[in-house]
Amino acid sequence: MIRRHLRRTLLVLLGSLLAATGFGAAPTQAAPNWLATSAYFNDPRATGDASNVTRNLVIHHFDHAPAGSLVRGTTWNLTDTAISDAMVRAINWGVTVRLIVAKANCSSSAVAAVVVATIFHSSSYVRCTVGSARSAGGTMHQKSYTFSAVDGVRHVAVVGSANATVEGYADQWTDLFQFVNRKDVYDAYNSVFALQQRDRNMAKPYRSYSFNGGKGGAQFFPVNDPTPTAADDPVHARLTSLPKGRGTVIRVATYAMHGSRGSWLTNDLIAHARAGSTVVVLTGPPADDALERRLRAAGVSVTRAFDPGCSEVENGSCNYIHLKLMTATYVSGGARQYRVWTGSDNWSTDSLNNDEVTQKIAGKAPYDQYVSFIDKIRRVY
């Protein structure tokens, strides 16, 4: 894997040299606007400014967080030293950085570097949570950051499927969605963070927040049942509440879909397809082949969105979707609606007892961004 990443770096440098000399030059792509309310996507095949986008967004924000500001982050894993170095730089110039990582992944050198930096800055810390941070079992799997300020922008919240790992940009199709100047979203994430950093079991850990009159929202797992059924599943509730039939278009891109939860969500998608809804599904390596066959038999378009021979082991040498994503457009109240749901929730039973988040986003602009990204991946595979 290291050799492959080295080859990729050399190819990028060679491409830059050729462009600079006028040979093999590609059209120039402007660097992203890092401070927009927008989706940011990682294409593992990309080079130049189009590459490493989710990673570069996070690094940019730590490097542009002013002294005296506060950053809170949750991540299943932290192994990318470029990100941990940015965290350390921020701590050293006076940014308070508070990080929650799954205990099983707290032994990495990247985590250790941040821990060392916090020794001399007592307001900053790294908490390694045992299982879910708010209930027995599960794990910390949420991927989110809140920044009190980045440059002159306040109340920044970032959420999606991108782990703080080298694999997260080198091999994975991932996303991060960012809200800027949104104190309501910022406060919701920080309210849950306040519970997570205590690392104590709660009888009712599930939290749900509504934004924009219910058009947007955030759902924070675990659910309130150690043996969840479809009745406990917010995604089941979402799918069954969407209008079924012509005019409804559902796209799903999920890294994992298996187990009893994968089965009942497959049933929900098939019910839509049989009623006339258009349903498109992209699966990652851990998806259940039998569920894929059931979807295809019901007329659902299924794309195996990973390189041939790819396994679910993250240290493999192939590209694959790591998304936990759904989009829908439908008619309600006489008007066409556009929704995106993204975050850290794989469509597997285990996810319901993890620390996970799903962010609901309303509006045609973000919907179009995500649909374009999904369609781009479908064309690759």
Side-chain angles (χ1 to χ4, degrees):
M1 182 176 178
I2 292 173
R3 289 179 181 174
R4 187 166 56 82
H5 293 162
L6 179 59
R7 287 198 303 272
R8 181 183 178 201
T9 300
L10 291 173
L11 287 171
V12 171
L13 292 173
L14 178 60
S16 298
L17 178 61
L18 289 172
T21 57
F23 295 98
T28 301
Q29 177 171 331
N33 174 4
W34 297 124
L35 291 173
T37 292
S38 178
Y40 296 82
F41 300 116
N42 187 72
D43 177 346
R45 310 161 310 141
T47 59
D49 286 335
S51 67
N52 310 344
V53 170
T54 51
R55 177 203 209 196
N56 292 342
L57 173 72
V58 174
I59 292 172
H60 172 275
H61 285 8
F62 277 102
D63 280 345
H64 289 255
S69 65
L70 174 58
V71 183
R72 301 173 178 91
T74 58
T75 182
W76 179 71
N77 206 349
L78 171 59
T79 59
D80 187 349
T81 55
I83 293 178
S84 61
D85 287 350
M87 293 176 176
V88 170
R89 288 193 297 269
I91 292 170
N92 288 338
W93 68 60
V95 178
T96 296
V97 176
R98 297 174 179 171
L99 187 65
I100 300 175
V101 183
K103 185 174 179 61
N105 297 317
C106 268
S107 60
S108 74
S109 59
V111 172
V114 181
V115 170
V116 170
T118 66
I119 293 172
F120 305 101
H121 303 273
S122 58
S123 63
S124 296
Y125 57 73
V126 177
R127 298 280 163 80
C128 300
T129 60
V130 179
S132 162
R134 292 176 291 131
S135 73
T139 190
M140 166 54 68
H141 193 247
Q142 183 176 322
K143 305 109 171 43
S144 66
Y145 302 89
T146 62
F147 296 81
S148 63
V150 180
D151 287 333
V153 174
R154 290 178 53 79
H155 303 132
V156 177
V158 180
V159 58
S161 62
N163 285 311
T165 63
V166 173
E167 184 78 358
Y169 72 87
D171 291 330
Q172 296 174 349
W173 301 86
T174 58
D175 74 308
L176 289 172
F177 192 87
Q178 173 172 267
F179 295 91
V180 301
N181 294 316
R182 283 293 299 270
K183 190 172 185 301
D184 53 347
V185 178
Y186 174 86
D187 286 346
Y189 277 79
N190 291 338
S191 294
V192 176
F193 187 95
L195 301 174
Q196 291 169 324
Q197 61 88 25
R198 295 167 58 195
D199 198 13
R200 297 177 186 172
N201 294 346
M202 301 174 62
K204 296 183 178 181
Y206 179 73
R207 295 291 185 273
S208 180
Y209 295 85
S210 177
F211 313 116
N212 303 337
K215 292 182 179 180
Q219 297 169 319
F220 294 86
F221 299 4
V223 298
N224 299 328
D225 191 336
T227 56
T229 66
D232 303 302
D233 186 357
V235 180
H236 170 70
R238 177 201 312 164
L239 287 168
T240 54
S241 67
L242 286 173
K244 294 183 176 68
R246 291 185 61 185
T248 294
V249 181
I250 296 170
R251 293 175 175 85
V252 174
T254 180
Y255 168 69
M257 183 171 65
H258 51 71
S260 55
R261 186 185 185 209
S263 183
W264 71 61
L265 294 178
T266 294
N267 291 341
D268 292 337
L269 293 174
I270 289 172
H272 266 280
R274 287 177 174 165
S277 303
T278 299
V279 181
V280 173
V281 175
L282 282 66
T283 59
D288 187 315
D289 293 349
L291 297 182
E292 291 180 357
R293 288 193 294 270
R294 287 179 52 205
L295 288 165
R296 289 192 181 97
V300 174
S301 171
V302 179
T303 299
R304 294 165 65 84
F306 50 93
D307 293 349
C310 198
S311 74
E312 65 177 304
V313 178
E314 286 201 353
N315 290 326
S317 57
C318 57
N319 296 156
Y320 57 93
I321 63 165
H322 195 247
L323 301 164
K324 301 88 168 58
L325 170 63
M326 175 177 153
T327 69
T329 182
Y330 54 95
V331 175
S332 178
R336 180 151 292 279
Q337 305 294 321
Y338 302 92
R339 298 289 185 273
V340 174
W341 293 265
T342 190
S344 61
D345 173 31
N346 288 310
W347 283 16
S348 62
T349 311
D350 290 346
S351 290
L352 293 173
N353 282 312
N354 292 340
D355 277 279
E356 310 276 11
V357 64
T358 296
Q359 180 71 42
K360 179 170 71 169
I361 306 155
K364 192 171 187 302
Y367 174 86
D368 286 346
Q369 279 190 291
Y370 274 95
V371 167
S372 177
F373 186 57
I374 289 171
D375 288 347
K376 175 182 180 179
I377 298 170
R378 290 179 71 197
R379 289 192 295 272
V380 170
Y381 297 105

